[in-house]
Amino acid sequence: MSEPRTPILQFGTSRFLQAHADLFFAQAEPPLAVTVVQSSGDAARAARLAALAAPGGYPVRIRGLERGRAVEQELRVDSVRRTLSTASDWPALERLFCEQVEIVISNTADAGYQPQPADLDPAPSQAMSFPAKLAHLLAARFHAGARPLQVMPLELVPENGRVLRARVLEILRGNGMPAAVADWVAGLGFANSLVDRIVSEPLEPAGAVAEPYALWAIEAAPGIIAPCNHPAVQMVPDLEEIERLKLHILNLGHTALVDFWRRSGARPGALVRELMDAPEGAALLALYDAEVIPGFAQKGREPQARAYLAATLDRLRNPFLDHRIEDIAQNHTQKAERRIAAFLDWIGPGGPATPQLHAIVERARA
């Protein structure tokens, strides 16, 4: 049997990727085939790695609210055709990278980006960070004379494409690679993107449970193309508007709920969906109506904000999602600064009155 051709190379095996990008690739027109690479070398996840490419695929259960109506369905994801590990399959990975790959995506854990002592070694090794491993693969592709490709990080890092490119170039220029390699890599398309979907729990040995809402927004730039044709994949001229909506409606709402929950006694074990049917939820709706939406309106973005808010309320009320408010309450002071104080700075002193938002920030700082 001939080896499957996979134009997508994916670093990461997370349940998020299973219910996000891999699902989109399976549903795309035409469908796309993926090779999944485990970059951590974690032997404990070997069963998951094998199950991702099992015949017939793996399940993704979509459970939640969509336009106020309950949605519950199971989908099969069969886009993953091959799995490899950087720890044991480097020669095969390098050959595939040079001969087949057109798009690289990644969603590695935070630890995967942390610089490692081995990053500047002349030969690739498992002790390297993900950007260093990518740097060696890109160098191999350059020396093989293969055509340029596109790199699309999905990590939740602002300007993730720019950040990854800068780190890869830093490694290439620091480990003695020829200058021509770094120059070639500098000209590749590294896409900035923002992804959003709550994937609430894993299924074993592979698969996940996810909410209906899903987004993969990609900032348009020279040399950047959409990885597939799918309703959740959007090319946008600038990520700023989407980032504002997510940060100052969804994330702001979570932080405001924490404040209301604390002021009402901080009941242990409370879930977001439960609070939405309690006085805290009523207070949040009033806050959105009186202060948040007027702020977006002052910036000329009221229609976009109202549409995003409608989807956000479905997400907050998801009857299948056990989202603990105590988890959201972690790092509350920092979150209030990023999500609420930054919103107040954005709309400026000449904007609508925002006494509740100011009060939440002051209580978080106290």
Side-chain angles (χ1 to χ4, degrees):
M1 184 180 295
S2 62
E3 182 181 69
R5 183 169 184 82
T6 54
I8 308 291
L9 186 71
Q10 170 182 307
F11 286 91
T13 64
S14 68
R15 68 177 188 252
F16 174 80
L17 285 172
Q18 293 173 47
H20 190 270
D22 294 335
L23 174 59
F24 300 165
F25 294 142
Q27 295 176 322
E29 292 293 340
L32 294 175
V34 183
T35 289
V36 169
V37 180
Q38 183 194 54
S39 58
S40 68
D42 186 355
R45 297 186 176 182
R48 176 197 292 180
L49 194 64
L52 288 174
Y58 60 81
V60 169
R61 295 175 190 156
I62 305 299
R63 306 178 75 193
L65 297 179
E66 199 166 32
R67 297 177 183 172
R69 302 182 66 178
V71 173
E72 194 168 7
Q73 64 178 142
E74 182 168 302
L75 306 171
R76 302 296 297 185
V77 178
D78 59 0
S79 55
V80 180
R81 304 296 173 80
R82 180 198 294 107
T83 59
L84 299 171
S85 170
T86 55
S88 57
D89 303 311
W90 188 268
L93 172 59
E94 186 175 289
R95 177 176 56 80
L96 180 74
F97 195 90
C98 294
E99 295 177 359
Q100 293 189 18
V101 176
E102 299 172 13
I103 293 176
V104 177
I105 70 170
S106 67
N107 187 244
T108 59
D110 291 344
Y113 266 62
Q114 293 298 316
Q116 300 297 323
D119 282 356
L120 298 183
D121 289 351
S125 71
Q126 186 58 27
M128 290 178 167
S129 67
F130 160 66
K133 292 168 185 170
L134 178 61
H136 278 275
L137 290 170
L138 289 168
R141 188 176 176 102
F142 169 81
H143 290 302
R147 62 191 181 92
L149 47 63
Q150 179 170 291
V151 182
M152 309 189 75
L154 276 68
E155 289 82 5
L156 292 176
V157 175
E159 297 189 78
N160 47 19
R162 181 191 62 78
V163 169
L164 181 57
R165 174 196 272 135
R167 180 60 184 146
V168 168
L169 289 174
E170 181 182 26
I171 292 166
L172 289 173
R173 290 165 178 159
N175 67 1
M177 292 270 188
V181 177
D183 292 344
W184 183 77
V185 170
L188 298 177
F190 280 73
N192 291 326
S193 66
L194 184 149
V195 296
D196 193 7
R197 172 168 249 177
I198 296 173
V199 182
S200 56
E201 59 183 288
L203 299 175
E204 297 299 339
V209 180
E211 65 174 340
Y213 182 89
L215 175 68
W216 184 356
I218 302 159
E219 191 169 76
I224 300 298
I225 61 170
C228 65
N229 180 18
H230 189 278
V233 179
Q234 302 177 17
M235 296 292 297
V236 299
D238 192 329
L239 287 175
E240 188 266 344
E241 179 175 299
I242 294 173
E243 288 171 339
R244 291 283 181 192
L245 291 169
K246 181 176 185 292
L247 187 64
H248 301 323
I249 294 181
L250 174 65
N251 299 144
L252 178 150
H254 278 147
T255 297
L257 273 180
V258 169
D259 178 79
F260 301 152
W261 166 72
R262 285 180 166 181
R263 294 177 68 204
S264 66
R267 178 173 63 83
L271 303 177
V272 169
R273 55 181 168 83
E274 294 172 342
L275 293 177
M276 291 304 294
D277 291 326
E280 292 90 343
L284 178 61
L285 293 178
L287 180 68
Y288 279 137
D289 187 60
E291 300 186 18
V292 177
I293 295 299
F296 278 95
Q298 189 246 353
K299 289 291 188 176
R301 300 183 183 180
E302 181 175 359
Q304 300 93 320
R306 289 197 178 279
Y308 188 86
L309 176 58
T312 294
L313 294 178
D314 279 345
R315 302 175 76 185
L316 296 175
R317 291 169 172 149
N318 186 341
F320 305 106
L321 179 61
D322 292 341
H323 200 175
R324 291 165 56 89
I325 195 69
E326 289 160 303
D327 294 337
I328 299 171
Q330 296 177 21
N331 303 310
H332 179 65
T333 301
Q334 296 90 330
K335 289 176 179 177
E337 293 293 335
R338 293 195 306 268
R339 300 170 175 187
I340 301 179
F343 177 71
L344 297 172
D345 291 341
W346 180 55
I347 63 176
T354 52
Q356 292 187 79
L357 290 175
H358 275 94
I360 292 171
V361 173
E362 291 305 314
R363 285 192 288 269
R365 290 171 175 171

